[in-house]
Amino acid sequence: MVAVLNEPTPLGAELAALQGVIDRLDPLVRAGLTPADAQQLSAAVGRVKNRLDALTVRAARVIHDSRLARRHGATSTGDLLGRDLGNDRSAGNRLLGVARDVPEESLTDQALSSGDLTLNQARIITDGLNNLPTNTTPEQRALAEQALIADARRFTPKDLRARADRIADQWADKTTVDRHESDLLQEREQHAWEQTRLSMWANGDGTTSGRFTIPDAQAAMLKTVLDAYASPRRASMLGREIDDYTTRVGQGFCELIERVPTDRLPNHGGNNLLVTVNMNLADLEGRIEDAAPGTITTDGTRLSPGQTRRLACDAKLLPQVFGGESVPLDLGREERLFTRYQRFAIANRDGGCAAPDCDRPPGMEPSHHGHSRDGV
């Protein structure tokens, strides 16, 4: 049998030559760079990367139109593209979004191909053009596109998006532009609320991780508060000499949670929100050396004695102390539903909802599964 060698395609030959250029650059860069050379390298590579991204956009269009993903067993074109981007489906979907939304051979597409725009800038400009008033003429659209491409050289992505929302000021009066921007923001804010999510999961090592998506306005508020808690000056005053910003923010977030004014929160299961912790009185007061841990009754989280004492001093926390003065649990038959302290006691007794197969915390519903005091 005679082996048949496939002739390299012109595209394949050029891609191999590109790899060769990178192979020759690598030892030059590793040998050491002067600051001037490093700046030149950064600028040139950034521009080349933009041009390479433009080529991948063109490839993504062909892959999408050919429905190649299904033949390769991928769930979507974004999934298939993501396999070449570090198995990152989100990156593949972002690339596909630019490929679908940026019109081929448009001014934005040309600027991307010449290296003047990044993928993100191209997407922002396209979104801005798609959000123009419905009565915009082709000439006005072209004027807006040219202005935004020029603005991309000096604006951050966030400022470029804000500029795109008001790009109609190139031909319209301020009142019209204000009204148009307000409509866009209202629609965007409604979408943000609908997309708001938060999830958390225990890692099993004493930490909990999470993921959230919230509207920009609330994110800005949260960041402002956390920056105040995580300021280096405040950390130094508290004896927390931590250089890592993310660690300071994380610890500040914990402190913020502990200091939430619970008397201003909505009722939760018929009660003002209050964390209850089980602990013996002697352990809480620190009278014995080998103190036992405490338990948060809402989900069974175990706390060291020191942590429990600290929270008892600073946070809105109700110790359910055994061996000390108790809170009355039976206040007669005047109220049909459980009283405030009866709910705390039931939570402690059951360690959650007592109904079979229910994993909700005890405060999730005003009366668990419709139980009244007669149904205890």
Short mmCIF file of all heavy atoms in Angstrom, two decimals, residues 248-280:
data_model
loop_
_atom_site.label_atom_id
_atom_site.label_comp_id
_atom_site.label_asym_id
_atom_site.label_seq_id
_atom_site.Cartn_x
_atom_site.Cartn_y
_atom_site.Cartn_z
N ARG A 248 -8.94 40.77 52.02
CA ARG A 248 -9.51 41.83 52.86
C ARG A 248 -10.98 42.05 52.53
O ARG A 248 -11.81 42.24 53.42
CB ARG A 248 -8.74 43.15 52.67
CG ARG A 248 -7.31 43.12 53.16
CD ARG A 248 -6.80 44.54 53.46
NE ARG A 248 -7.06 45.46 52.37
CZ ARG A 248 -6.24 45.68 51.35
NH1 ARG A 248 -5.08 45.03 51.28
NH2 ARG A 248 -6.55 46.55 50.40
N VAL A 249 -11.32 42.00 51.24
CA VAL A 249 -12.72 42.17 50.84
C VAL A 249 -13.56 41.00 51.36
O VAL A 249 -14.68 41.20 51.86
CB VAL A 249 -12.85 42.28 49.31
CG1 VAL A 249 -14.31 42.21 48.88
CG2 VAL A 249 -12.24 43.59 48.83
N GLY A 250 -13.02 39.79 51.26
CA GLY A 250 -13.76 38.63 51.75
C GLY A 250 -14.01 38.71 53.25
O GLY A 250 -15.12 38.42 53.72
N GLN A 251 -13.00 39.11 54.00
CA GLN A 251 -13.19 39.26 55.45
C GLN A 251 -14.12 40.42 55.76
O GLN A 251 -14.91 40.36 56.72
CB GLN A 251 -11.83 39.45 56.12
CG GLN A 251 -10.94 38.21 56.03
CD GLN A 251 -9.61 38.40 56.72
OE1 GLN A 251 -9.28 39.49 57.17
NE2 GLN A 251 -8.83 37.33 56.79
N GLY A 252 -14.05 41.48 54.96
CA GLY A 252 -14.98 42.58 55.13
C GLY A 252 -16.41 42.16 54.87
O GLY A 252 -17.35 42.61 55.56
N PHE A 253 -16.61 41.28 53.89
CA PHE A 253 -17.94 40.76 53.59
C PHE A 253 -18.48 39.98 54.79
O PHE A 253 -19.66 40.11 55.14
CB PHE A 253 -17.87 39.88 52.35
CG PHE A 253 -19.21 39.38 51.86
CD1 PHE A 253 -20.29 40.24 51.77
CD2 PHE A 253 -19.37 38.06 51.48
CE1 PHE A 253 -21.52 39.79 51.32
CE2 PHE A 253 -20.59 37.61 51.02
CZ PHE A 253 -21.66 38.47 50.94
N CYS A 254 -17.63 39.17 55.41
CA CYS A 254 -18.05 38.44 56.61
C CYS A 254 -18.46 39.40 57.72
O CYS A 254 -19.47 39.19 58.41
CB CYS A 254 -16.91 37.53 57.09
SG CYS A 254 -16.50 36.19 55.96
N GLU A 255 -17.68 40.45 57.91
CA GLU A 255 -18.00 41.42 58.95
C GLU A 255 -19.30 42.15 58.63
O GLU A 255 -20.11 42.42 59.53
CB GLU A 255 -16.85 42.43 59.09
CG GLU A 255 -16.98 43.33 60.30
CD GLU A 255 -15.74 44.19 60.51
OE1 GLU A 255 -14.72 43.96 59.83
OE2 GLU A 255 -15.82 45.11 61.35
N LEU A 256 -19.52 42.44 57.36
CA LEU A 256 -20.77 43.08 56.96
C LEU A 256 -21.97 42.20 57.29
O LEU A 256 -22.99 42.68 57.80
CB LEU A 256 -20.74 43.37 55.45
CG LEU A 256 -22.03 43.90 54.82
CD1 LEU A 256 -22.39 45.27 55.40
CD2 LEU A 256 -21.89 43.98 53.30
N ILE A 257 -21.85 40.90 57.03
CA ILE A 257 -22.94 39.97 57.33
C ILE A 257 -23.23 39.96 58.83
O ILE A 257 -24.39 39.97 59.26
CB ILE A 257 -22.58 38.56 56.84
CG1 ILE A 257 -22.51 38.54 55.31
CG2 ILE A 257 -23.59 37.53 57.34
CD1 ILE A 257 -21.95 37.26 54.74
N GLU A 258 -22.17 39.96 59.63
CA GLU A 258 -22.36 39.92 61.09
C GLU A 258 -23.02 41.18 61.61
O GLU A 258 -23.66 41.16 62.67
CB GLU A 258 -21.00 39.73 61.77
CG GLU A 258 -20.37 38.38 61.51
CD GLU A 258 -18.99 38.27 62.14
OE1 GLU A 258 -18.60 39.21 62.87
OE2 GLU A 258 -18.30 37.26 61.91
N ARG A 259 -22.86 42.30 60.90
CA ARG A 259 -23.36 43.58 61.39
C ARG A 259 -24.66 44.03 60.70
O ARG A 259 -25.05 45.18 60.83
CB ARG A 259 -22.28 44.65 61.22
CG ARG A 259 -21.05 44.39 62.06
CD ARG A 259 -20.00 45.47 61.88
NE ARG A 259 -18.83 45.22 62.69
CZ ARG A 259 -18.70 45.57 63.97
NH1 ARG A 259 -19.70 46.19 64.57
NH2 ARG A 259 -17.60 45.30 64.65
N VAL A 260 -25.30 43.14 59.97
CA VAL A 260 -26.57 43.50 59.33
C VAL A 260 -27.59 43.88 60.40
O VAL A 260 -27.78 43.14 61.36
CB VAL A 260 -27.09 42.32 58.49
CG1 VAL A 260 -28.52 42.59 58.03
CG2 VAL A 260 -26.21 42.09 57.29
N PRO A 261 -28.23 45.05 60.27
CA PRO A 261 -29.24 45.46 61.27
C PRO A 261 -30.51 44.63 61.11
O PRO A 261 -31.42 44.98 60.35
CB PRO A 261 -29.49 46.93 60.93
CG PRO A 261 -29.14 47.05 59.48
CD PRO A 261 -28.04 46.07 59.22
N THR A 262 -30.57 43.53 61.82
CA THR A 262 -31.66 42.57 61.61
C THR A 262 -33.03 43.11 61.98
O THR A 262 -34.04 42.59 61.52
CB THR A 262 -31.38 41.29 62.42
OG1 THR A 262 -31.20 41.65 63.79
CG2 THR A 262 -30.14 40.60 61.92
N ASP A 263 -33.08 44.16 62.82
CA ASP A 263 -34.39 44.70 63.18
C ASP A 263 -35.04 45.44 62.02
O ASP A 263 -36.22 45.81 62.09
CB ASP A 263 -34.27 45.62 64.39
CG ASP A 263 -33.28 46.75 64.16
OD1 ASP A 263 -32.37 46.58 63.31
OD2 ASP A 263 -33.41 47.79 64.82
N ARG A 264 -34.30 45.65 60.94
CA ARG A 264 -34.85 46.34 59.78
C ARG A 264 -35.14 45.39 58.62
O ARG A 264 -35.57 45.82 57.56
CB ARG A 264 -33.88 47.43 59.30
CG ARG A 264 -33.61 48.51 60.35
CD ARG A 264 -32.69 49.57 59.80
NE ARG A 264 -32.35 50.57 60.81
CZ ARG A 264 -31.55 51.61 60.59
NH1 ARG A 264 -31.03 51.80 59.39
NH2 ARG A 264 -31.28 52.46 61.57
N LEU A 265 -34.87 44.12 58.81
CA LEU A 265 -35.08 43.15 57.74
C LEU A 265 -36.53 42.67 57.75
O LEU A 265 -37.22 42.74 58.76
CB LEU A 265 -34.15 41.96 57.92
CG LEU A 265 -32.65 42.25 57.73
CD1 LEU A 265 -31.85 40.99 58.02
CD2 LEU A 265 -32.38 42.74 56.32
N PRO A 266 -37.01 42.14 56.60
CA PRO A 266 -38.37 41.58 56.56
C PRO A 266 -38.49 40.40 57.51
O PRO A 266 -37.51 39.72 57.82
CB PRO A 266 -38.52 41.12 55.10
CG PRO A 266 -37.46 41.83 54.34
CD PRO A 266 -36.33 42.06 55.29
N ASN A 267 -39.73 40.16 57.99
CA ASN A 267 -39.98 38.99 58.83
C ASN A 267 -39.68 37.72 58.05
O ASN A 267 -39.93 37.63 56.85
CB ASN A 267 -41.44 38.96 59.30
CG ASN A 267 -41.65 39.94 60.44
OD1 ASN A 267 -40.72 40.54 60.94
ND2 ASN A 267 -42.91 40.10 60.83
N HIS A 268 -39.16 36.74 58.74
CA HIS A 268 -38.75 35.48 58.12
C HIS A 268 -39.42 34.36 58.89
O HIS A 268 -39.03 34.04 60.01
CB HIS A 268 -37.22 35.35 58.19
CG HIS A 268 -36.68 34.16 57.48
ND1 HIS A 268 -36.82 33.97 56.13
CD2 HIS A 268 -35.98 33.09 57.94
CE1 HIS A 268 -36.22 32.85 55.77
NE2 HIS A 268 -35.70 32.29 56.86
N GLY A 269 -40.47 33.81 58.32
CA GLY A 269 -41.20 32.76 59.03
C GLY A 269 -41.94 33.28 60.24
O GLY A 269 -42.08 32.57 61.24
N GLY A 270 -42.39 34.53 60.21
CA GLY A 270 -43.13 35.09 61.33
C GLY A 270 -42.26 35.73 62.38
O GLY A 270 -42.75 36.23 63.37
N ASN A 271 -40.94 35.74 62.18
CA ASN A 271 -40.03 36.30 63.17
C ASN A 271 -39.12 37.33 62.53
O ASN A 271 -38.79 37.23 61.34
CB ASN A 271 -39.13 35.20 63.77
CG ASN A 271 -39.90 34.22 64.61
OD1 ASN A 271 -40.71 34.63 65.42
ND2 ASN A 271 -39.65 32.94 64.42
N ASN A 272 -38.68 38.30 63.31
CA ASN A 272 -37.55 39.10 62.87
C ASN A 272 -36.35 38.17 62.78
O ASN A 272 -36.15 37.30 63.61
CB ASN A 272 -37.25 40.22 63.87
CG ASN A 272 -38.33 41.27 63.87
OD1 ASN A 272 -39.01 41.47 62.88
ND2 ASN A 272 -38.51 41.92 65.01
N LEU A 273 -35.54 38.36 61.75
CA LEU A 273 -34.43 37.45 61.50
C LEU A 273 -33.48 37.43 62.69
O LEU A 273 -33.02 38.47 63.15
CB LEU A 273 -33.66 37.90 60.25
CG LEU A 273 -32.58 36.94 59.77
CD1 LEU A 273 -33.22 35.62 59.36
CD2 LEU A 273 -31.84 37.53 58.59
N LEU A 274 -33.20 36.24 63.19
CA LEU A 274 -32.33 36.09 64.35
C LEU A 274 -31.67 34.73 64.26
O LEU A 274 -32.32 33.73 64.03
CB LEU A 274 -33.15 36.19 65.64
CG LEU A 274 -32.42 36.53 66.93
CD1 LEU A 274 -31.84 37.93 66.86
CD2 LEU A 274 -33.39 36.43 68.09
N VAL A 275 -30.36 34.70 64.42
CA VAL A 275 -29.64 33.43 64.42
C VAL A 275 -29.65 32.87 65.83
O VAL A 275 -29.35 33.58 66.79
CB VAL A 275 -28.18 33.62 63.94
CG1 VAL A 275 -27.41 32.31 64.05
CG2 VAL A 275 -28.18 34.12 62.51
N THR A 276 -30.00 31.62 65.97
CA THR A 276 -30.00 30.99 67.29
C THR A 276 -28.89 29.95 67.34
O THR A 276 -28.68 29.20 66.39
CB THR A 276 -31.35 30.32 67.59
OG1 THR A 276 -31.61 29.33 66.59
CG2 THR A 276 -32.47 31.34 67.60
N VAL A 277 -28.20 29.92 68.48
CA VAL A 277 -27.09 29.00 68.66
C VAL A 277 -27.26 28.26 69.98
O VAL A 277 -27.52 28.88 71.02
CB VAL A 277 -25.73 29.74 68.66
CG1 VAL A 277 -24.59 28.77 68.97
CG2 VAL A 277 -25.50 30.42 67.32
N ASN A 278 -27.13 26.95 69.95
CA ASN A 278 -27.21 26.12 71.16
C ASN A 278 -25.84 26.04 71.81
O ASN A 278 -24.84 25.73 71.15
CB ASN A 278 -27.69 24.71 70.82
CG ASN A 278 -29.18 24.67 70.56
OD1 ASN A 278 -29.88 25.64 70.79
ND2 ASN A 278 -29.66 23.54 70.06
N MET A 279 -25.79 26.27 73.12
CA MET A 279 -24.53 26.15 73.85
C MET A 279 -24.83 26.13 75.34
O MET A 279 -25.76 26.80 75.81
CB MET A 279 -23.61 27.33 73.52
CG MET A 279 -22.17 27.13 73.97
SD MET A 279 -21.12 28.49 73.42
CE MET A 279 -19.51 27.79 73.78
N ASN A 280 -24.07 25.37 76.09
CA ASN A 280 -24.23 25.36 77.53
C ASN A 280 -23.80 26.69 78.13
O ASN A 280 -22.87 27.33 77.63
CB ASN A 280 -23.42 24.22 78.16
CG ASN A 280 -23.99 22.86 77.84
OD1 ASN A 280 -25.20 22.70 77.74
ND2 ASN A 280 -23.12 21.89 77.65
#
